[in-house]
Amino acid sequence: MSKHHEKQRRKTRRSLETAQVFDLTGSKFQGERSLPPIKPLNATQDDYLDALKTNSQVVVLGPAGTGKTWIAATYAADLFRQRRIRKIILTRPNVPSGRSLGFFPGTLEEKFGPWAAPVIEAIKERIGTAAYEIAVKNGDIEMVPFEVMRGRSWRDAFILLDEAQNATPAEMKTFLTRIGEDCKVVINGDVSQCDLRETSGLRTVIHLIKSQMLPVPIVEFTLNDIVRSGVCEMWVRAFEEVHC
């Protein structure tokens, strides 16, 4: 045997003797991130979490800074990490100016991403940036604008509709009739901030739930539930005074 081959043989033997063994039988998230459970900061957040745990659909209302979106996104990420759902679906109506997603360059995710940034950041915090990017690449996390929603069907997924006050009744009907088996749905919005010239689809949904006594809880935050910051609360209250 040549000196080169003998040297390679000794190097391989040493590598095997000192190699670290990794357990690949568990979830890809196990051992990577040890995170505390979501802790409610007030009684309404506690009610919200209870509603998420015990219902397949939840409507959550209230002003900015109350944690409506963050709790939904974080809860969805935890279900995904625990393999209790297969997918996360994120959607929201177009911006009030009416500019279509098609005017922005890039892929669908790149077009939709800036509008879903608060949700995306919350999910990344919970599962990690690399895991998030892999999930998006594999289609396990999807951003689905209303423009491409018709004809879709979702199952075994957490579905978050954000800024729901800006969905029309027709869009809301399209969204709700996409929902299949084993889904958890959160409809999140602030009816006082509707930018539509027509009736808000969120108001329509609230009316249907109440008038037909549908088994969908409505969790409503108030100005007293704002937790983002004192500055946020100050400005929300200030604008509320002038009805803006």
Side-chain angles (χ1 to χ4, degrees), residues 167-178:
T168 67
E171 288 174 331
M172 193 65 78
K173 180 180 178 182
T174 297
F175 169 76
L176 291 170
T177 54
R178 302 305 96 207

mmCIF file with all atom_site columns, all heavy atoms in Angstrom, residues 167-178:
data_model
loop_
_atom_site.group_PDB
_atom_site.id
_atom_site.type_symbol
_atom_site.label_atom_id
_atom_site.label_alt_id
_atom_site.label_comp_id
_atom_site.label_asym_id
_atom_site.label_entity_id
_atom_site.label_seq_id
_atom_site.pdbx_PDB_ins_code
_atom_site.Cartn_x
_atom_site.Cartn_y
_atom_site.Cartn_z
_atom_site.occupancy
_atom_site.B_iso_or_equiv
_atom_site.pdbx_formal_charge
_atom_site.auth_seq_id
_atom_site.auth_comp_id
_atom_site.auth_asym_id
_atom_site.auth_atom_id
_atom_site.pdbx_PDB_model_num
ATOM 1  N N   . ALA A 1 167 ? -62.005 43.504 3.224  1.00 0.00 ? 167 ALA A N   1
ATOM 2  C CA  . ALA A 1 167 ? -62.533 42.498 2.292  1.00 0.00 ? 167 ALA A CA  1
ATOM 3  C C   . ALA A 1 167 ? -64.003 42.803 2.015  1.00 0.00 ? 167 ALA A C   1
ATOM 4  O O   . ALA A 1 167 ? -64.759 43.131 2.943  1.00 0.00 ? 167 ALA A O   1
ATOM 5  C CB  . ALA A 1 167 ? -62.396 41.097 2.875  1.00 0.00 ? 167 ALA A CB  1
ATOM 6  N N   . THR A 1 168 ? -64.404 42.724 0.772  1.00 0.00 ? 168 THR A N   1
ATOM 7  C CA  . THR A 1 168 ? -65.812 42.931 0.426  1.00 0.00 ? 168 THR A CA  1
ATOM 8  C C   . THR A 1 168 ? -66.608 41.695 0.848  1.00 0.00 ? 168 THR A C   1
ATOM 9  O O   . THR A 1 168 ? -66.030 40.628 1.094  1.00 0.00 ? 168 THR A O   1
ATOM 10 C CB  . THR A 1 168 ? -65.973 43.142 -1.079 1.00 0.00 ? 168 THR A CB  1
ATOM 11 O OG1 . THR A 1 168 ? -65.633 41.928 -1.761 1.00 0.00 ? 168 THR A OG1 1
ATOM 12 C CG2 . THR A 1 168 ? -65.079 44.278 -1.576 1.00 0.00 ? 168 THR A CG2 1
ATOM 13 N N   . PRO A 1 169 ? -67.941 41.795 0.917  1.00 0.00 ? 169 PRO A N   1
ATOM 14 C CA  . PRO A 1 169 ? -68.744 40.605 1.217  1.00 0.00 ? 169 PRO A CA  1
ATOM 15 C C   . PRO A 1 169 ? -68.490 39.461 0.241  1.00 0.00 ? 169 PRO A C   1
ATOM 16 O O   . PRO A 1 169 ? -68.431 38.300 0.651  1.00 0.00 ? 169 PRO A O   1
ATOM 17 C CB  . PRO A 1 169 ? -70.182 41.130 1.123  1.00 0.00 ? 169 PRO A CB  1
ATOM 18 C CG  . PRO A 1 169 ? -70.072 42.572 1.497  1.00 0.00 ? 169 PRO A CG  1
ATOM 19 C CD  . PRO A 1 169 ? -68.770 43.023 0.906  1.00 0.00 ? 169 PRO A CD  1
ATOM 20 N N   . ALA A 1 170 ? -68.327 39.778 -1.043 1.00 0.00 ? 170 ALA A N   1
ATOM 21 C CA  . ALA A 1 170 ? -68.055 38.724 -2.038 1.00 0.00 ? 170 ALA A CA  1
ATOM 22 C C   . ALA A 1 170 ? -66.705 38.069 -1.789 1.00 0.00 ? 170 ALA A C   1
ATOM 23 O O   . ALA A 1 170 ? -66.564 36.846 -1.897 1.00 0.00 ? 170 ALA A O   1
ATOM 24 C CB  . ALA A 1 170 ? -68.104 39.319 -3.447 1.00 0.00 ? 170 ALA A CB  1
ATOM 25 N N   . GLU A 1 171 ? -65.698 38.876 -1.452 1.00 0.00 ? 171 GLU A N   1
ATOM 26 C CA  . GLU A 1 171 ? -64.377 38.318 -1.149 1.00 0.00 ? 171 GLU A CA  1
ATOM 27 C C   . GLU A 1 171 ? -64.427 37.463 0.108  1.00 0.00 ? 171 GLU A C   1
ATOM 28 O O   . GLU A 1 171 ? -63.787 36.399 0.174  1.00 0.00 ? 171 GLU A O   1
ATOM 29 C CB  . GLU A 1 171 ? -63.363 39.441 -0.990 1.00 0.00 ? 171 GLU A CB  1
ATOM 30 C CG  . GLU A 1 171 ? -62.986 40.119 -2.291 1.00 0.00 ? 171 GLU A CG  1
ATOM 31 C CD  . GLU A 1 171 ? -62.090 41.315 -2.078 1.00 0.00 ? 171 GLU A CD  1
ATOM 32 O OE1 . GLU A 1 171 ? -62.176 41.955 -1.004 1.00 0.00 ? 171 GLU A OE1 1
ATOM 33 O OE2 . GLU A 1 171 ? -61.300 41.626 -2.990 1.00 0.00 ? 171 GLU A OE2 1
ATOM 34 N N   . MET A 1 172 ? -65.161 37.912 1.090  1.00 0.00 ? 172 MET A N   1
ATOM 35 C CA  . MET A 1 172 ? -65.285 37.148 2.329  1.00 0.00 ? 172 MET A CA  1
ATOM 36 C C   . MET A 1 172 ? -65.947 35.797 2.067  1.00 0.00 ? 172 MET A C   1
ATOM 37 O O   . MET A 1 172 ? -65.532 34.768 2.625  1.00 0.00 ? 172 MET A O   1
ATOM 38 C CB  . MET A 1 172 ? -66.070 37.941 3.367  1.00 0.00 ? 172 MET A CB  1
ATOM 39 C CG  . MET A 1 172 ? -65.993 37.369 4.764  1.00 0.00 ? 172 MET A CG  1
ATOM 40 S SD  . MET A 1 172 ? -64.327 37.414 5.466  1.00 0.00 ? 172 MET A SD  1
ATOM 41 C CE  . MET A 1 172 ? -64.220 39.129 5.955  1.00 0.00 ? 172 MET A CE  1
ATOM 42 N N   . LYS A 1 173 ? -66.976 35.791 1.221  1.00 0.00 ? 173 LYS A N   1
ATOM 43 C CA  . LYS A 1 173 ? -67.634 34.537 0.877  1.00 0.00 ? 173 LYS A CA  1
ATOM 44 C C   . LYS A 1 173 ? -66.663 33.601 0.163  1.00 0.00 ? 173 LYS A C   1
ATOM 45 O O   . LYS A 1 173 ? -66.599 32.397 0.461  1.00 0.00 ? 173 LYS A O   1
ATOM 46 C CB  . LYS A 1 173 ? -68.851 34.801 -0.010 1.00 0.00 ? 173 LYS A CB  1
ATOM 47 C CG  . LYS A 1 173 ? -69.587 33.536 -0.411 1.00 0.00 ? 173 LYS A CG  1
ATOM 48 C CD  . LYS A 1 173 ? -70.798 33.849 -1.285 1.00 0.00 ? 173 LYS A CD  1
ATOM 49 C CE  . LYS A 1 173 ? -71.507 32.569 -1.723 1.00 0.00 ? 173 LYS A CE  1
ATOM 50 N NZ  . LYS A 1 173 ? -72.665 32.864 -2.609 1.00 0.00 ? 173 LYS A NZ  1
ATOM 51 N N   . THR A 1 174 ? -65.878 34.149 -0.762 1.00 0.00 ? 174 THR A N   1
ATOM 52 C CA  . THR A 1 174 ? -64.881 33.344 -1.458 1.00 0.00 ? 174 THR A CA  1
ATOM 53 C C   . THR A 1 174 ? -63.890 32.738 -0.480 1.00 0.00 ? 174 THR A C   1
ATOM 54 O O   . THR A 1 174 ? -63.565 31.545 -0.543 1.00 0.00 ? 174 THR A O   1
ATOM 55 C CB  . THR A 1 174 ? -64.121 34.197 -2.490 1.00 0.00 ? 174 THR A CB  1
ATOM 56 O OG1 . THR A 1 174 ? -65.034 34.666 -3.480 1.00 0.00 ? 174 THR A OG1 1
ATOM 57 C CG2 . THR A 1 174 ? -63.023 33.394 -3.167 1.00 0.00 ? 174 THR A CG2 1
ATOM 58 N N   . PHE A 1 175 ? -63.416 33.549 0.449  1.00 0.00 ? 175 PHE A N   1
ATOM 59 C CA  . PHE A 1 175 ? -62.451 33.082 1.446  1.00 0.00 ? 175 PHE A CA  1
ATOM 60 C C   . PHE A 1 175 ? -63.034 31.959 2.300  1.00 0.00 ? 175 PHE A C   1
ATOM 61 O O   . PHE A 1 175 ? -62.428 30.892 2.452  1.00 0.00 ? 175 PHE A O   1
ATOM 62 C CB  . PHE A 1 175 ? -62.016 34.249 2.330  1.00 0.00 ? 175 PHE A CB  1
ATOM 63 C CG  . PHE A 1 175 ? -61.244 33.829 3.548  1.00 0.00 ? 175 PHE A CG  1
ATOM 64 C CD1 . PHE A 1 175 ? -59.925 33.445 3.446  1.00 0.00 ? 175 PHE A CD1 1
ATOM 65 C CD2 . PHE A 1 175 ? -61.851 33.815 4.801  1.00 0.00 ? 175 PHE A CD2 1
ATOM 66 C CE1 . PHE A 1 175 ? -59.208 33.054 4.580  1.00 0.00 ? 175 PHE A CE1 1
ATOM 67 C CE2 . PHE A 1 175 ? -61.152 33.431 5.929  1.00 0.00 ? 175 PHE A CE2 1
ATOM 68 C CZ  . PHE A 1 175 ? -59.828 33.047 5.816  1.00 0.00 ? 175 PHE A CZ  1
ATOM 69 N N   . LEU A 1 176 ? -64.197 32.178 2.861  1.00 0.00 ? 176 LEU A N   1
ATOM 70 C CA  . LEU A 1 176 ? -64.788 31.221 3.802  1.00 0.00 ? 176 LEU A CA  1
ATOM 71 C C   . LEU A 1 176 ? -65.171 29.906 3.133  1.00 0.00 ? 176 LEU A C   1
ATOM 72 O O   . LEU A 1 176 ? -65.171 28.859 3.793  1.00 0.00 ? 176 LEU A O   1
ATOM 73 C CB  . LEU A 1 176 ? -66.003 31.845 4.485  1.00 0.00 ? 176 LEU A CB  1
ATOM 74 C CG  . LEU A 1 176 ? -65.675 32.986 5.464  1.00 0.00 ? 176 LEU A CG  1
ATOM 75 C CD1 . LEU A 1 176 ? -66.949 33.697 5.899  1.00 0.00 ? 176 LEU A CD1 1
ATOM 76 C CD2 . LEU A 1 176 ? -64.914 32.457 6.672  1.00 0.00 ? 176 LEU A CD2 1
ATOM 77 N N   . THR A 1 177 ? -65.478 29.938 1.861  1.00 0.00 ? 177 THR A N   1
ATOM 78 C CA  . THR A 1 177 ? -65.857 28.700 1.166  1.00 0.00 ? 177 THR A CA  1
ATOM 79 C C   . THR A 1 177 ? -64.654 27.944 0.609  1.00 0.00 ? 177 THR A C   1
ATOM 80 O O   . THR A 1 177 ? -64.827 26.916 -0.051 1.00 0.00 ? 177 THR A O   1
ATOM 81 C CB  . THR A 1 177 ? -66.859 29.000 0.035  1.00 0.00 ? 177 THR A CB  1
ATOM 82 O OG1 . THR A 1 177 ? -66.321 30.003 -0.835 1.00 0.00 ? 177 THR A OG1 1
ATOM 83 C CG2 . THR A 1 177 ? -68.178 29.497 0.614  1.00 0.00 ? 177 THR A CG2 1
ATOM 84 N N   . ARG A 1 178 ? -63.442 28.422 0.887  1.00 0.00 ? 178 ARG A N   1
ATOM 85 C CA  . ARG A 1 178 ? -62.223 27.657 0.538  1.00 0.00 ? 178 ARG A CA  1
ATOM 86 C C   . ARG A 1 178 ? -61.865 26.671 1.649  1.00 0.00 ? 178 ARG A C   1
ATOM 87 O O   . ARG A 1 178 ? -61.012 25.805 1.452  1.00 0.00 ? 178 ARG A O   1
ATOM 88 C CB  . ARG A 1 178 ? -61.005 28.580 0.351  1.00 0.00 ? 178 ARG A CB  1
ATOM 89 C CG  . ARG A 1 178 ? -61.092 29.670 -0.683 1.00 0.00 ? 178 ARG A CG  1
ATOM 90 C CD  . ARG A 1 178 ? -61.447 29.186 -2.060 1.00 0.00 ? 178 ARG A CD  1
ATOM 91 N NE  . ARG A 1 178 ? -62.877 29.332 -2.266 1.00 0.00 ? 178 ARG A NE  1
ATOM 92 C CZ  . ARG A 1 178 ? -63.605 28.588 -3.098 1.00 0.00 ? 178 ARG A CZ  1
ATOM 93 N NH1 . ARG A 1 178 ? -63.047 27.628 -3.784 1.00 0.00 ? 178 ARG A NH1 1
ATOM 94 N NH2 . ARG A 1 178 ? -64.895 28.779 -3.227 1.00 0.00 ? 178 ARG A NH2 1
#
